[in-house]
Amino acid sequence: MDFSLLGPVTVTAGPQAAPVELPLGPAKRRSVLAMLLLRPNATVSVEQLISSLWEDEPPAHARTVIQGHVSRLRAALAEGGAEDHGVELATHSSAYLLRIPDSLIDTQRFDQLTAQASPESAPGEAVQLLRQALGLWRGPALTGTVASPPFAAAAHALEERRLSAVEALARAHEGLGEYEQAVRALHPAAVANPLREGLIAALMLALYRSGRQSDAIAWFHRTRQLLDDDLGVDPGQRLSAAYQEILTAAPTADGPRGGAEAAGQPGGAGQPGAQQAATPQHPLSAAAPAPAPELLPRPPAGFHGRGAELAELTRLTLGTAEPAQGGAAGDSGGYPQEGGIALLSGPAGVGKTGLAVHWGHAHAAAFPDGRLFADLRGFSGGEAVLPAEVLREFLLALGTPAEQIPTSTEAASALYRSLAARRRLLVVLDNAGSSAQVRPLLPGGPHCATLVTSRSRLDGLIATDAARPVRLHALGPEDGVGLLGALLGPARVAEDPEAARELVALCDGLPLALRAASAQLMARPRWRLARLATALRDERRRLALLSAEDTGVAAALRNSVARLSADDAQLLRALGAGFAREVNTAEAAALSGADPELIQDSLERLAEMHLLDEEATNRYVMSDLVKLFAQGDGSDRDAPGETSGGAVGGPPGGPSQGPSQGG
């Protein structure tokens, strides 16, 4: 049998090769067992158990409840063969005693292994013993017990013993001259315990001795700031002493960076101006850096135009719009001053995702520590992705072991920001539904760049996080024809340039619509462009023809409209049926029969979602494709194999737009 407290509270029995977990029941029953295991071979009174299980006023029948839990625990242990292993749960008056060999409890084995380890006198043996001890941990101690002060205190005490073992393991590695291994042992614990000065001091010295002086100094300044912000105190003696040792020790050689990513340490390969030094008595250890995460989707095929927007992204995120000598703009190391955040907004199908992904690939060299990407599914017709899910994927990509990822969004976000603090990362947050969804995912490091795409303006992100808006408009005639040429081939477009320009106009210059039209033509190589243009002139068929299997303008608009309130959707329908191109507040109120003040708010919300465009004060414009969708006239009649255009207020659906230029 095996009794575990270093993680979820469990009991396993059976052969070692295939142990079976015994059913322990609800949290209070596990908590009774945990309290008995924390005091093995010693009596635990019923009063102690009651005060541990009920933080507030216990019920009148608390003793009966405890008796019931003990009775069921006895039955479960007996079924697992407790007697054969020398395990007995006995009653002593108003107390209970769990007789059990120490070797069956993971906390006891952990203490025995750590006690045997001697990092200073026998570092090689200590590494083996301490790794074995730390390997017993399967997550936060006492997981599954009730949330009460006694169990919180017990879990904290166990965690303190784990951290002491981590520090001892690092000392053992340093005794062997394995400074990078010491960094790997210390770094996750330091990230999770940013105010534990002794741990930070040990990490600083290990970093310095591995030739990473700048990273060590950065940890000191970050911790000093946290101590001041959170506690209002200065660094203590141990942390200050480590800092002084790093500053005063004379460097003798420039050592290799020992692989920041391999240790999970901010400040990976490619950071300019990093001074690496080692003291004479500490040999350097060169470990190969782990590969930088590359989560960007493949570049959009046939990307064309957007020169001004690409230059603006470069200026906002890299601090320059001029190409670096021998590379793309910003690739020579131009940093955003405070972690640049660019917000790409625009209507459905205008190409926000494609622009962000294209820019990311073009400037990959400016972000040697990795490129992260997440589709937040804010306008994908289903449930938006929770920030906690994205944080988990990002932390895994940045080298955090799964078992060390915090369960709360706040803690996971803090760990993510810490890992990104000195890295040069590009983070693309695509298809955001709200500012609140984005904020926990902002890396915050001064050398990171963040691109956010959304159909909403996300004014809150601009207000609170200084995001810089980049508004995407439809392609002009020349760029639209250029995109058709990139997709269909220049020769086919050159056959009928007038028809190509008409196609651009019928598609409202939207890259998504132009790609869907190109798909129709590529599937029908004998069609001339004029034939498709003629078909698109029929407004009843246009939305259906501008679809391609599971994607298209109608699907994209349907997902946008699904985010509207019933009143706003009704106004959009009325506007689609009631005016040719422009409308003001009074005209909209007349069309809908609603109060002008309420209509003004609705018009602003529609403009915020880019379903209308406010060309001038109180002058709103609706594109032809939005108007057709709002009228509900999109039909699949006579369109070979295409989907219906749908109507405003219809059920949400349709796929998430992938990283094409029309996303």
Side-chain angles (χ1 to χ4, degrees):
M1 298 188 79
D2 187 74
F3 294 76
S4 299
L5 298 175
L6 303 179
V9 176
T10 58
V11 181
T12 55
Q16 189 173 6
V20 177
E21 184 175 331
L22 300 184
L24 297 181
K28 283 188 168 58
R29 192 173 306 155
R30 290 177 184 269
S31 301
V32 170
L33 177 61
M35 188 59 69
L36 295 170
L37 288 169
L38 288 169
R39 303 174 186 179
N41 302 304
T43 56
V44 179
S45 68
V46 173
E47 286 74 16
Q48 288 175 305
L49 291 171
I50 290 175
S51 65
S52 299
L53 265 62
W54 286 278
E55 183 177 355
D56 300 322
E57 189 70 22
H61 59 288
R63 285 178 172 269
T64 304
V65 173
I66 295 291
Q67 291 171 358
H69 286 317
V70 170
S71 176
R72 287 172 175 79
L73 283 173
R74 282 199 184 103
L77 295 175
E79 186 177 344
E83 185 177 354
D84 296 338
H85 294 85
V87 178
E88 178 188 6
L89 178 51
T91 302
H92 287 264
S93 183
S94 59
Y96 297 101
L97 170 68
L98 181 62
R99 296 190 180 94
I100 181 172
D102 288 346
S103 61
L104 299 185
I105 310 175
D106 59 356
T107 53
Q108 299 295 315
R109 296 200 303 276
F110 175 83
D111 288 342
Q112 292 167 4
L113 289 166
T114 55
Q116 295 170 21
S118 180
E120 286 74 23
S121 60
E125 180 184 2
V127 166
Q128 300 301 320
L129 291 169
L130 292 167
R131 285 195 178 280
Q132 186 179 349
L134 292 168
L136 296 172
W137 285 75
R138 298 170 296 109
L142 302 180
T143 298
T145 57
V146 298
S148 68
F151 281 107
H156 177 73
L158 289 170
E159 176 64 11
E160 286 293 313
R161 282 143 69 179
R162 186 186 74 84
L163 292 175
S164 296
V166 169
E167 293 183 22
L169 175 61
R171 293 198 305 274
H173 278 304
E174 291 200 359
L176 298 172
E178 299 171 346
Y179 302 112
E180 277 296 342
Q181 287 86 337
V183 170
R184 293 191 188 99
L186 292 166
H187 182 264
V191 169
N193 299 271
L195 297 178
R196 189 181 175 97
E197 293 186 57
L199 190 64
I200 306 301
L203 175 60
M204 287 168 53
L205 291 172
L207 285 166
Y208 170 67
R209 291 162 183 166
S210 67
R212 293 158 59 183
Q213 184 184 45
S214 60
D215 290 339
I217 292 174
W219 268 99
F220 172 79
H221 289 298
R222 183 186 311 145
T223 307
R224 177 182 57 78
Q225 188 65 50
L226 284 173
L227 289 168
D228 183 45
D229 292 345
D230 293 1
L231 304 178
V233 299
D234 294 325
Q237 190 275 332
R238 186 174 174 187
L239 194 64
S240 298
Y243 182 55
Q244 288 302 317
E245 179 178 340
I246 293 168
L247 290 181
T248 58
T252 60
D254 289 335
R257 274 184 95 80
E261 295 85 1
Q265 164 64 24
Q271 180 172 317
Q275 179 183 359
Q276 291 93 35
T279 54
Q281 65 269 32
H282 297 300
L284 295 175
S285 168
E294 177 54 88
L295 304 188
L296 284 181
R298 65 183 183 85
F303 187 92
H304 184 84
R306 300 297 191 194
E309 292 89 346
L310 290 168
E312 181 68 357
L313 287 183
T314 302
R315 184 184 70 81
L316 293 175
T317 55
L318 296 180
T320 176
E322 296 299 323
Q325 185 174 0
D331 289 356
S332 63
Y335 290 142
Q337 295 302 307
E338 297 178 356
I341 304 171
L343 171 58
L344 289 84
S345 65
V350 80
K352 301 175 293 293
T353 304
L355 178 65
V357 172
H358 175 83
W359 188 93
H361 282 286
H363 293 268
F367 305 100
D369 296 323
R371 277 77 58 195
L372 303 176
F373 178 93
D375 179 0
L376 303 185
R377 298 185 63 81
F379 295 87
S380 295
E383 291 293 327
V385 176
L386 296 174
E389 299 174 24
V390 179
L391 286 168
R392 179 175 178 81
E393 295 303 317
F394 282 3
L395 289 170
L396 288 172
L398 292 171
T400 306
E403 65 274 10
Q404 294 176 10
I405 296 177
T407 55
S408 76
T409 301
E410 293 78 9
S413 182
L415 175 56
Y416 165 62
R417 291 194 301 272
S418 178
L419 290 175
R422 287 181 59 80
R423 279 187 164 98
R424 298 173 65 186
L425 290 172
L426 172 65
V427 180
V428 179
L429 304 174
D430 184 45
N431 200 4
S434 67
S435 298
Q437 187 187 24
V438 169
R439 289 191 185 101
L441 307 176
L442 297 175
H447 305 326
C448 296
T450 305
L451 305 184
V452 181
T453 78
S454 180
R455 298 182 196 177
S456 174
R457 291 198 310 251
L458 299 189
D459 294 341
L461 201 64
I462 298 172
T464 62
D465 296 276
R468 301 302 180 91
V470 178
R471 170 70 191 275
L472 263 66
H473 298 276
L475 295 175
E478 190 172 324
D479 282 337
V481 171
L483 177 58
L484 285 176
L487 296 170
L488 297 172
R492 195 169 181 188
V493 172
E495 289 177 356
D496 198 344
E498 289 300 322
R501 281 190 286 273
E502 184 179 5
L503 282 176
V504 173
L506 290 167
C507 291
D508 282 345
L510 289 179
L512 178 62
L514 290 167
R515 288 177 177 274
S518 297
Q520 296 277 9
L521 291 166
M522 284 188 279
R524 300 164 178 82
R526 296 185 179 180
W527 277 27
R528 293 177 59 86
L529 273 61
R531 180 170 178 178
L532 180 59
T534 300
L536 289 175
R537 291 186 202 123
D538 185 349
E539 293 185 346
R540 297 170 301 172
R541 303 179 58 201
R542 190 179 305 170
L543 286 175
L545 286 167
L546 294 179
S547 298
E549 196 176 5
D550 60 349
T551 188
V553 176
L557 289 173
R558 188 178 300 115
N559 293 334
S560 291
V561 172
R563 294 284 303 272
L564 299 177
S565 67
D567 289 341
D568 290 349
Q570 179 60 38
L571 175 61
L572 184 67
R573 184 184 297 113
L575 295 178
F579 78 94
R581 191 170 189 275
E582 294 185 1
V583 70
N584 59 28
T585 303
E587 292 165 345
L591 285 170
S592 62
D595 184 274
E597 290 187 6
L598 297 178
I599 288 298
Q600 179 63 53
D601 292 339
S602 288
L603 288 171
E604 290 180 359
R605 285 191 294 269
L606 292 176
E608 182 182 352
M609 296 284 286
H610 294 98
L611 292 166
L612 296 178
D613 189 14
E614 190 175 13
E615 284 196 343
T617 302
N618 197 26
R619 297 301 300 174
Y620 296 90
V621 176
M622 179 183 288
S623 72
D624 289 342
L625 292 179
V626 173
K627 180 183 177 183
L628 290 176
F629 184 86
Q631 292 171 349
D633 284 341
S635 170
D636 61 352
R637 290 175 304 207
D638 302 323
E642 303 305 333
T643 59
S644 171
V648 171
S656 169
Q657 299 304 314
S660 71
Q661 192 175 348

